[in-house]
Amino acid sequence: YAFHSMRSVAIVVAFAGLAAVSALHAPTVSRVAPSMAPQQQGAASALRRVAVESAPMSLRGGEDDAPAESSPVFWNETVELAVLFGLWYAGNTGYNIYNKKALNNLGGAKGGLVWTIALCQLFTGVLWVLPLWLLGIRTKPSMTTENWMQIAPVGIFAAGAHGGSVVALGAGAVSFGQILKACEPAFSAVNEIIFLREVQAWQVYLTLIPIIGGVAIASLKELSFSWLAVWAAMIANQSAAMKAVFGKSVMATDWAKALGPANQYGVVNIISVLATLPVVLGLEAKGMKKSYDSALKKGVMPKDIQLNVLLSGFFFYLYNEVSFMALAKVSPVTHSVANTLKRVVIIVASCIYFGTPMTKEGMAGSAVAIAGTLLYSLAKQAYKK
């Protein structure tokens, strides 16, 4: 069953990757930053804005002023986008599946190890990026103490967004968690007004109605409904919005631009690890062994726990870093459509893999909410001031 489910998921992701390139492909944007609001796509938008402003990202990270080398005949922009979108969607889908499996292994959101799982996932990224810096494969970030202090809030709120999402996904079905996370634009809109004094056109705020309404409809008869999932997802959404608020000014600085998108994310990820560690020590360290032993008594194999946590961390870092590479090469509209399609892919793939049933209200509500997030992004582009 697991093999057939994974095969079905792979087919869904493959078709989505092709759709993202063919149906969503727009002319490559120039290296001059488009006039888009940094919060357009919520949590990661401020970072992505810099990705558009910077030179194309490579494994080395940082800015690269050297002339571009000629590419092989078989490698062109369309092929590159197909690979990037495929990895982005596959990584995101893989993360959601293995994250849920790891949570199920360890008792879900109430198993006593949910923040520990989140920490391990973030730390996997550190194990990836540090060797690249130490071996000189990727340019080391050049930062002062002041620079670290400036970017620290971005990493702290990124930790809150990730931790809240893991709790939400542990408390309910993956599909329900994704529907709740579709509310993020509503939090972004409110925080823009409060902290940035940015007021959008009324047409933009009108698109929040289907988002909120869709989530409400989907929640009415959600089979895996949990208030813990709701509140955790809302905390994640608020943290993501605050990350965008702080990221707007920080990522526009010269030193942040000089890091390049890959190193920006690497630095933010390290701060997120440091911010999550005290939460783990305060909430879960004391009962960690008891929670782990409890999972083993239920028949869970240690190797399964370790594999699922490791793979979820790998896919988490993969999809975040690759998404920067993909989104730096497409227009804001393509960005919005691709992000919307990604959420649909995750919901469909997780339902196939885990055999999660969705009620008619759930399907209708999720469709309305996800469509609302797309309309919100497109409206911000159309009515930007």
Side-chain angles (χ1 to χ4, degrees):
Y1 172 77
F3 170 76
H4 291 296
S5 298
M6 186 60 78
R7 183 176 61 182
S8 301
V9 169
I11 293 173
V12 170
V13 173
F15 275 110
L18 291 174
V21 176
S22 58
L24 307 179
H25 182 60
T28 304
V29 296
S30 66
R31 294 305 164 192
V32 178
S35 54
M36 59 182 288
Q39 296 83 7
Q40 179 176 329
Q41 291 301 324
S45 58
L47 299 178
R48 289 168 182 161
R49 177 176 178 269
V50 180
V52 176
E53 294 175 339
S54 304
M57 193 174 74
S58 67
L59 184 65
R60 292 189 60 81
E63 294 184 330
D64 187 2
D65 296 326
E69 298 179 0
S70 58
S71 301
V73 177
F74 64 86
W75 187 261
N76 53 44
E77 185 181 32
T78 301
V79 175
E80 182 179 8
L81 278 174
V83 172
L84 292 177
F85 272 98
L87 288 174
W88 179 26
Y89 282 26
N92 211 313
T93 304
Y95 162 70
N96 277 273
I97 288 176
Y98 284 106
N99 175 63
K100 186 62 176 178
K101 290 178 70 174
L103 287 164
N104 288 345
N105 288 157
L106 295 170
K110 296 181 179 180
L113 291 171
V114 61
W115 281 96
T116 302
I117 293 174
L119 176 63
C120 291
Q121 291 167 348
L122 292 170
F123 188 69
T124 302
V126 177
L127 295 179
W128 161 255
V129 75
L130 279 184
L132 294 181
W133 288 338
L134 295 175
L135 296 175
I137 299 174
R138 174 177 295 176
T139 306
K140 295 179 183 178
S142 178
M143 297 172 60
T144 64
T145 302
E146 183 181 0
N147 296 154
W148 281 97
M149 294 298 292
Q150 288 175 322
I151 203 172
V154 180
I156 292 171
F157 284 115
H162 178 60
S165 296
V166 174
V167 174
L169 294 172
V174 173
S175 55
F176 184 50
Q178 291 295 326
I179 294 170
L180 293 172
K181 289 171 67 177
C183 277
E184 187 180 315
F187 286 81
S188 296
V190 173
N191 281 277
E192 285 176 3
I193 296 175
I194 296 175
F195 295 101
L196 300 177
R197 298 293 188 268
E198 292 182 0
V199 179
Q200 304 295 331
W202 65 268
Q203 292 92 336
V204 176
Y205 297 123
L206 193 63
T207 63
L208 296 178
I209 296 177
I211 295 176
I212 298 173
V215 171
I217 294 172
S219 301
L220 284 176
K221 293 187 178 181
E222 169 59 39
L223 300 178
S224 66
F225 181 86
S226 162
W227 279 112
L228 177 59
V230 173
W231 286 112
M234 297 306 107
I235 290 174
N237 288 338
Q238 175 60 18
S239 296
M242 291 301 295
K243 175 186 172 184
V245 168
F246 282 92
K248 177 179 181 179
S249 59
V250 174
M251 296 305 170
T253 59
D254 291 337
W255 66 265
K257 292 179 181 179
L259 291 177
N263 279 348
Q264 287 169 8
Y265 181 71
V267 169
V268 168
N269 187 73
I270 289 175
I271 297 172
S272 295
V273 171
L274 298 176
T276 306
L277 182 58
V279 179
V280 173
L281 295 176
L283 297 180
E284 298 179 350
K286 186 177 181 179
M288 189 175 293
K289 187 179 185 304
K290 181 179 179 181
S291 298
Y292 186 78
D293 290 341
S294 177
L296 296 182
K297 289 179 181 178
K298 295 178 181 178
V300 181
M301 300 297 292
K303 64 178 182 179
D304 291 333
I305 297 174
Q306 296 161 9
L307 180 63
N308 289 328
V309 172
L310 179 63
L311 287 177
S312 64
F314 167 75
F315 282 117
F316 176 76
Y317 198 87
L318 172 70
Y319 91 76
N320 273 287
E321 185 162 299
V322 172
S323 70
F324 278 61
M325 299 172 69
L327 299 176
K329 296 178 178 295
V330 296
S331 71
V333 173
T334 303
H335 174 175
S336 303
V337 178
N339 217 32
T340 301
L341 179 59
K342 178 204 71 177
R343 197 174 298 279
V344 175
V345 170
I346 294 173
I347 291 176
V348 173
S350 64
C351 286
I352 293 174
Y353 186 85
F354 292 109
T356 305
M358 288 187 71
T359 63
K360 292 181 179 179
E361 292 84 357
M363 289 186 284
S366 60
V368 171
I370 292 173
T373 62
L374 175 60
L375 292 175
Y376 174 81
S377 299
L378 297 180
K380 287 194 72 173
Q381 270 298 113
Y383 297 100
K384 60 180 179 288
K385 297 181 180 180

